[in-house]
Amino acid sequence: MAKKFDLNDDSVAVVIGSGAGGGTLSNELAQKGVKVVCLEAGKNYSPDDFVNDEWGAFLQTAWLDNRTTSGSWSIASNWPNLPSWIVKSVGGSTLHWAGASLRFQEHEFKVRTEYGDVAGANLLDWPVSLKEMEPYYDKAEYKIGVTRTHGIPGLPGNNNFKVFYDGAKKLGYKDVHTGRMGINSMPRDGRNACLQLGFCFQGCKSGAKWSAGYSEIPKAEQTGNFELRTQAHVIQITHNKSGKIDGVVYVDADGNQQKQKARIVAVAGNSIETPRLLLMSNSSMYPDGLSNSSGQVGKNYMRHLTGSVYALMDKPVNFHRGTTMAGIVTDESINDPRRGFVGGYELETLALGLPFMAGFLIPGVSGWGEKVSNALENYDHLAGMWIVGEDMPQEKNAVSLNTDVKDQNGMPVPNVHFDDHDNDIKMRKHAFGKGTDVYNAAGAVDVFETPPYPSTHNLGTCRMSEKPRDGVCDKNGKSHDIANLFISDGSQFTTGAAENPTLTIVSLAIRQAEHIAKEMSKGTI
Amino acid sequence: MKKIKLDRRSFLKNSSKISGFVVLSGGMVQLNAFNAWADKKSSLDSHVAKTMLLVSKDLFPGKKFSDELYMISVDSLDGKAATDESLKKSFVDGVAEIDSAAGGNYMKASYKDRVAILKKIQGNPFFSTLRWEMVSVFYNNKKVWDVAGYQGEAYDQGGYYLRGFQDADWPQPPEKASPKGWWE
Ligand SMILES: Cc1cc2nc3c(=O)[nH]c(=O)nc-3n(C[C@H](O)[C@H](O)[C@H](O)COP(=O)(O)OP(=O)(O)OC[C@H]3O[C@@H](n4cnc5c(N)ncnc54)[C@H](O)[C@@H]3O)c2cc1C
Ligand code: SF4
C-alpha cells in the first residue's frame, strides 16, 4: 500500500532521513494517521543485498560524501575526510549498528546538577528526566525486541565474550553479561533468530538485528499514510513570509531539484547532516540558519569517548565468530569522581574481521611494523573490546559549513572540529588501563590501546534545553524558534551519557510522534 | 587450523629474527621463480618490483606469510601503474629515494637500517600508497586470511552458531551471563 503524495500537498509531515530517528518517527506518525513523506538520500537495500565483506559493505552503504575535519582529535590526522562512520541508505546507520541497547541512568539526564561546573564543558541538564522517559524506553525496547527486557532471553556469548568474561571476573567486575541487544535471540516480530554470522556491522543478512530499514519502514508503508522517496537528498528547508516552515528542496536520483511542500518538517539526518542542513537553509529572515537564535546549531558536538583494547591471547580465540558486540561490563559506568574524572564508561566486546583490523588496529600512517603485523598474522588469537564513555560537550567542538569545499550538489561540506576535553583524556586513560587489565588477567601476550575510529555515535549538535538561549529545541525536539520544525535524531542530546545512543534516539522519536500527532489534531501546528 | 600457543617470551624472541627475502636464501629454484616474477611485471621494472616487495614485507613483516603472498600487493600496484603514468613514476622515484638513503641499494641494507629508512619516509605518498595497498588489498585476500585464521563470509555456511562460535579454550560463563542458544 505504498502511497504517493503530490509535491504540492502541504498537509504532509516531511521527515528527512530514515534511520533510527527518522525511520521510527515516520512509522509512529503513520500509525497515528499522520500523512508522512520520508526523504532519504540513500538507496534501499534489503538483507539479500547485504554483503559479508567488510570493505565491500562499507563502500556499498557508508556515507562517503566529502567532509573535512579540524582540531586536535586523532581522527583529523588518521581519517581527515571521514570524521564519522554512518550510513547512507534506507534505515540509516541502523543497518551497520551492533545493536547494544541501553537506557541512560537517572543522573545522566542531569549532569550539570550532578557533576557541577566542569571548566571548559558546556554542561546542561536535560529538560526531561529518566522518569519521564521510562514509558518510552519501555516501548522502544519492545519495538526493537531488546534482549533481557520484556522476557526476551539474552544472547549466547561467543568466543570473544568467553575471554572477556574470564578476565573481567578475575578483576572483580560484577555486572558482566551478554548485554541488552537489539538482536533476536528467538524469532520475533517476523524476523529470524541470530545465526552468529559475525557481520553485524555490514547489515544483518538474516534480519535478526533490528534495523529501521526493514523493521519500521515496511510497517509505515502498510498504513497507507506513508511514502518513502529514496535518493532524495534534501539541500534546503524553506519558510514562508511569517517564518514558518513550508517545505523542502531536494535533489532527486536524476540530479534534478524538487520542492516538496510540508505542514511540518522533522530533521533526522544524523548529527552532522542535521545541523548542516539548518545552517545551509539560512535566509534574510534567518541569516545564521534555521532555529539558530541561540547560536547553538552545530555546537556541542559529542562523539562518545571511545577507544578499543585488542589483545593477542596465548591460545586461539576466533573472535570473528558470532555477534560483533557480544557482551558488556557496566561496573565503570557510574559517576565516581574519585577516579579523577566525572561520568563513566561501558566496556563492550568488539570484533573486526582481518580486513578492518589491518586498517584500524593502529590507524593512520604509524600503523605498520612488527607489533601490528604479528597481531594480524595471529588474527585467530585476538580478542577485543570497545570503550564507550561520556564525553564533555564543548561549544568549540562544532559542525560548521566549509564554504571552500563543495559536495556533489555544489553545497558547502560540513567541517567537524573536535578537541578532547581534559576529562575525556583522563577517562580514556583509565578505561585503557582497565581493558588491558582484563586481558592480562585472561592470558594476553600483547595488548593494543587503539585510538578512536571515525565516530559512529554523533550527538548533541542541536541540543534540547529548557531555556531557548541554551539550545536549539525543547523537550519534544521542537525548535525553540520555529513552531513546525522538529529535530528527531541524536542531535537533540543535551549530553551523551555512557550508553550507546540508539535506544534513546528511538525512545525520543516515539515520544515526539505522540506530541506531534496531538498538536496536529489540536491544530496548533 | 593450526593451534599454536603464543607466549610473551617466544614472541619477543621471534620478532628479532625477521630477515629480508626468504627466497634469496632459499636456493636456486626459488630464486629463479622470484626473478621470473619480477621480470614479468606489466609496468614496473624488475628492480622496482623487488624493492617494493621488500618494502611491503618490511612494513608488515610476517613469519607465517610467504614472500609469494606479498606479491599480491605489488601485483595489484603494478596493475594500477599500468594505466597511471604518474603512479608508475612515483614508484620509480620512491625506490630511487630509498635506494639512495640506503647508500645505493635498499635491498642490500640490514633490516634495522631499512626500518630506519621507512620511519623517515613514513607518511610520504610512496610510503602511504604501499602501506594502504597492504591494508586494503593484501589483508583483504583470502589466501592471507587462511594463514592468519580469518574465515570471512559466513552466511552461505549458515553462520557460526554450529561452527565454533563458543569453542575457545576459556571457561564457559554461567548461563545467567551467557544463556543457551535458541537451538539448544
Ligand atoms: C558500525 C556502527 C555500529 C553501531 N553500533 C551501535 C550500537 O551497538 N548501539 C547503538 O546504540 N548505536 C550504535 N551505532 C550508532 C547508531 O547507528 C546511530 O546512533 C543511529 O543510527 C543514529 O540515528 P539517526 O537517526 O541520528 O541517524 P542515522 O541512523 O544515521 O540516519 C540518518 C539518515 O538520514 C539520511 N540523510 C542524512 N542527510 C540527509 C539529507 N540531507 N537528505 C536526505 N536524507 C539524509 C542518511 O542517509 C541516513 O539514512 C552504531 C553505528 C555504526 C556505524
Ligand atoms: S551475528 Fe546475528 S545479528 Fe549479527 S549479523 Fe549475524 S545474524 Fe545478524
Side-chain angles (χ1 to χ4, degrees), chain A residues 52-57 59 199 353-359 376, chain B residues 65 69 72-73 132-146 148 150 152-153:
Chain A
N52 274 193
D53 166 0
E54 291 187 307
W55 290 115
L59 294 174
F199 284 87
L354 183 55
F356 270 8
M357 213 58 196
L376 296 174
Chain B
F65 296 144
L69 279 183
I72 292 166
S73 187
W132 189 249
E133 207 68 5
M134 283 296 291
V135 168
S136 62
V137 174
F138 177 81
Y139 287 111
N140 204 18
N141 186 283
K142 188 90 185 34
K143 288 186 201 147
V144 173
W145 295 358
D146 288 345
Y150 175 57
E153 200 276 333

Side-chain angles (χ1 to χ4, degrees), chain A residues 183 193-200 203-209 322-324:
Chain A
I183 295 177
C194 172
L195 300 172
Q196 300 286 341
L197 294 174
F199 284 87
C200 311
C204 176
K205 279 190 85 66
S206 84
K209 187 183 76 175
T323 48
T324 302

Side-chain angles (χ1 to χ4, degrees), chain B residues 108-125:
Chain B
K108 294 208 169 123
S110 70
Y111 175 63
K112 207 173 135 228
D113 289 347
R114 299 199 307 271
V115 168
I117 292 169
L118 293 180
K119 279 229 169 78
K120 272 207 203 95
I121 64 161
Q122 176 176 310
N124 85 6

Side-chain angles (χ1 to χ4, degrees), chain A residues 159 162 315 369 374 377, chain B residues 11 59 63-64 165-166 169:
Chain A
N159 290 326
K162 282 170 85 174
K315 292 174 287 188
N374 186 60
E377 196 180 33
Chain B
F11 163 53
L59 287 173
K63 291 183 280 290
K64 291 193 269 169
F165 89 113
Q166 277 182 336
D169 187 16

Side-chain angles (χ1 to χ4, degrees), chain A residues 261-280:
Chain A
K261 289 193 174 163
R263 178 168 167 189
I264 67 157
V265 168
V267 198
N270 206 321
S271 298
I272 296 177
E273 290 311 308
T274 291
R276 175 187 182 218
L277 193 51
L278 297 185
L279 295 172
M280 285 195 310

